[in-house]
Amino acid sequence: MTATSTPPQTTSTSAAPATTPAGSRAIIAILLVATFVVILNETIMNVALPRLMEDLNVDARTGQWLSTVFMLTLAIVIPTTGYLLQRLTTRQVFVTAMILFSTGTLLAAVSPAFWLLLPARVVQASGTAMMLPLLITTILTLVPVERRGVVMGNVTVVISVAPAVGPTVSGIVLHYFPWRFMFILVLPIALGALAFGVKKLVNVGKPGDAKLDVLSVVLTVPAFGGIVYGLSLLGSEGPFGVPPLAFVGVGAIALLVFGWRQSRLYRTDNPLLDLRAFRFPPFSISVALLCAAMVALFGMVILLPIYLQQVRGIGALETGLMLLPGGLVMGLLGPQVGKLYDRYGPRGLTLFGSVVLVVSMWRLSTIDMTTPIWMLIAVHVLLSIGLAFLFTPGFTTGLNPLPPKLYSHGSAILSTLQQVAGAAGTALLVVIYSGRSAALQAGGTAPLESSLGGIQLAFGVGALISIATVVLAAFMHNTKKVDGELADAEADVPMGAHH
């Protein structure tokens, strides 16, 4: 099976030159700009949620689906990108992704009510889903293993600054304009990135003849959708009297069937997601580490604006500006962490990052009505520093050992599970927040104190989950790089084995 993004002449990662050619840098730059635009929209909703809940007359449990459905769609669509990257050219995937994203943005801008805004977010996310693995696979193909830490660090700049700027942009927009302008202002940028890419982007590698397994695609919906939907219903009776855990159970069963189906497709070397990437221990550990970090990150990204606006009465503009320093710090640290990774390896970096993550999440669980604003900004910056030391080493360590034929699948698996973890984390922590708030209010506590109690408990659970990152970081292989030829040799055993 020929991976689209693997040039025919490249048989191993070690064959790549020690420096990245100018043409390759231009391709990566184009993809980075487009990815920045699409990722910006993943967090643009978070500051706007309280306003949207009011304007569209929906509660927090319903409103958070504008963020959750975006991540959930990514989780369902990203598995198919392993196939798309093998079947279509780089330009075809890029153009399809940006057209979908632009269409979704236009639909969101003209949405008269929640019933159209939600599917508009699904269309947006479908485009975003294609961009993330396309970017990562292209980098793995074009960048020599010796420089991947630095390049992944530069990618972190874009991937972290975009979510950081998202809340700030929406805060500024909401201060001066109706919420629709969050999409109206993004649309021309997306169309500009599309036009620029059509003109400048060249294909990387050649398309293969992979076949799409429809059953696998169908299974992704209950597998990932059922789990996240069930988690979002925890604390309620569930629709039609069906308990929430039933949806989680159905999702878990569908996930097992999906895994079994992929193992059957190994015989034709044509799985939708090649799960044999998990036979490389650094990949498995890195995936688990990044998923645990995503649960904490997305819980924080959605809960902090609710606390600032509903409990503390801070405006959308001020909320957005308060969240900006943390994101900028994470972005600026990206290249530096990448350089440290190339020099020292991942273990020390991820251990430091995980400890900082746990401490900052615990501190957020103790915030109250009088916590100083400077303290909130400082804790958010500290949390962002922790994440910077987790994401760059996590991505690079996980993907380095994979042979070229697993590049597109490895990046798709990593992106899929990160989004499932983010969506599940958002749903779970919002349910904990809502349930605790309702229970306190029913017991006679004032509404603001009830809301605060819910947020404190949710952050406390987030802190407990993030402890897993400390344990996983201790198992990271402390190697500076992985020999590509060795990875190919090792891959011959698992790639030919059938269990």
Side-chain angles (χ1 to χ4, degrees):
M1 183 165 61
T2 307
T4 304
S5 300
T6 307
Q9 71 272 20
T10 303
T11 55
S12 78
T13 49
S14 61
T19 57
T20 312
S24 298
R25 289 198 297 270
I27 292 169
I28 292 169
I30 293 166
L31 294 177
L32 278 173
V33 170
T35 305
F36 178 88
V37 176
V38 299
I39 290 181
L40 183 70
N41 263 264
E42 188 166 0
T43 57
I44 206 168
M45 278 287 166
N46 295 327
V47 173
L49 271 182
R51 171 83 67 88
L52 284 162
M53 284 157 55
E54 186 180 334
D55 289 358
L56 301 176
N57 196 27
V58 294
D59 58 19
R61 191 188 292 274
T62 305
Q64 61 99 10
W65 272 97
L66 291 171
S67 291
T68 302
V69 80
F70 195 94
M71 291 184 286
L72 188 51
T73 303
L74 293 180
I76 292 169
V77 176
I78 287 172
T80 64
T81 60
Y83 160 79
L84 291 172
L85 290 170
Q86 292 162 15
R87 189 76 190 191
L88 305 175
T89 66
T90 310
R91 282 171 62 88
Q92 287 172 331
V93 175
F94 175 82
V95 170
T96 303
M98 292 309 292
I99 287 175
L100 275 171
F101 178 79
S102 300
T103 303
T105 305
L106 177 62
L107 284 173
V110 299
S111 295
F114 187 82
W115 63 266
L116 183 57
L117 185 56
L118 195 67
R121 292 286 283 168
V122 171
V123 178
Q124 269 191 322
S126 300
T128 304
M130 296 180 192
M131 287 303 304
L132 293 167
L134 176 62
L135 172 65
I136 296 171
T137 304
T138 303
I139 287 171
L140 289 173
T141 303
L142 297 178
V143 179
V145 72
E146 294 83 2
R147 287 185 48 79
R148 280 189 196 156
V150 173
V151 176
M152 284 292 191
N154 288 321
V155 170
T156 306
V157 174
V158 173
I159 291 180
S160 10
V161 170
V165 172
T168 307
V169 168
S170 62
I172 294 169
V173 169
L174 290 170
H175 188 72
Y176 296 105
F177 304 102
W179 59 264
R180 296 178 191 286
F181 277 81
M182 291 190 301
F183 304 105
I184 292 170
L185 295 174
V186 167
L187 186 57
I189 302 172
L191 292 173
L194 171 60
F196 185 73
V198 167
K199 186 178 180 182
K200 298 287 188 182
L201 191 66
V202 296
N203 290 320
V204 178
K206 294 180 180 178
D209 57 354
K211 296 179 177 64
L212 182 66
D213 183 59
V214 177
L215 178 58
S216 295
V217 176
V218 171
L219 282 170
T220 61
V221 179
F224 302 121
I227 291 172
V228 176
Y229 184 61
L231 285 171
S232 74
L233 292 173
L234 289 176
S236 68
E237 292 182 4
F240 312 111
V242 180
L245 287 177
F247 290 100
V248 178
V250 168
I253 293 168
L255 198 58
L256 289 172
V257 175
F258 176 82
W260 172 82
R261 178 63 180 168
Q262 303 320 294
S263 69
R264 302 294 294 173
L265 293 170
Y266 294 163
R267 294 175 180 177
T268 56
D269 209 19
N270 198 43
L272 181 70
L273 267 187
D274 200 324
L275 303 179
R276 287 171 289 190
F278 284 109
R279 293 180 183 174
F280 294 86
F283 179 80
S284 301
I285 294 168
S286 295
V287 167
L289 177 79
L290 291 169
C291 284
M294 287 292 279
V295 170
L297 169 64
F298 277 92
M300 179 274 297
V301 163
I302 204 163
L303 286 172
L304 205 51
I306 292 175
Y307 162 77
L308 291 170
Q309 291 177 73
Q310 293 191 351
V311 176
R312 298 295 293 271
I314 295 170
L317 175 62
E318 291 80 3
T319 299
L321 292 173
M322 284 176 63
L323 298 177
L324 183 60
L328 292 179
V329 166
M330 181 155 54
L332 292 170
L333 273 177
Q336 307 310 316
V337 175
K339 288 175 185 175
L340 290 171
Y341 173 88
D342 285 337
R343 187 171 180 181
Y344 299 111
R347 186 179 294 160
L349 300 176
T350 51
L351 274 171
F352 171 77
S354 58
V355 170
V356 170
L357 177 66
V358 172
V359 170
S360 50
M361 285 297 288
W362 169 80
R363 181 63 184 88
L364 284 173
S365 74
T366 66
I367 56 178
D368 56 30
M369 299 288 191
T370 58
T371 304
I373 296 300
W374 66 264
M375 175 68 77
L376 291 168
I377 295 172
V379 173
H380 185 245
V381 168
L382 189 66
L383 189 146
S384 301
I385 291 170
L387 290 171
F389 276 83
L390 286 175
F391 282 136
T392 300
F395 269 113
T396 316
T397 303
L399 296 168
N400 262 357
L402 301 183
K405 57 188 166 184
L406 282 181
Y407 283 170
S408 62
H409 290 283
S411 59
I413 291 168
L414 192 58
S415 300
T416 300
L417 293 182
Q418 267 198 293
Q419 295 305 325
V420 170
T426 300
L428 182 62
L429 295 183
V430 166
V431 164
I432 291 168
Y433 153 69
S434 301
R436 176 65 173 161
S437 299
L440 286 172
Q441 205 160 342
T445 308
L448 282 182
E449 282 78 7
S450 300
S451 188
L452 176 64
I455 285 167
Q456 288 172 337
L457 180 62
F459 275 129
V461 172
L464 288 174
I465 292 170
S466 59
I467 290 173
T469 62
V470 180
V471 178
L472 291 162
F475 288 95
M476 295 288 272
H477 289 287
N478 206 18
T479 52
K480 297 176 188 176
K481 60 183 181 180
V482 176
D483 188 329
E485 290 179 354
L486 178 62
D488 275 337
E490 288 176 353
D492 286 340
V493 178
M495 291 299 290
H498 300 286
H499 296 309

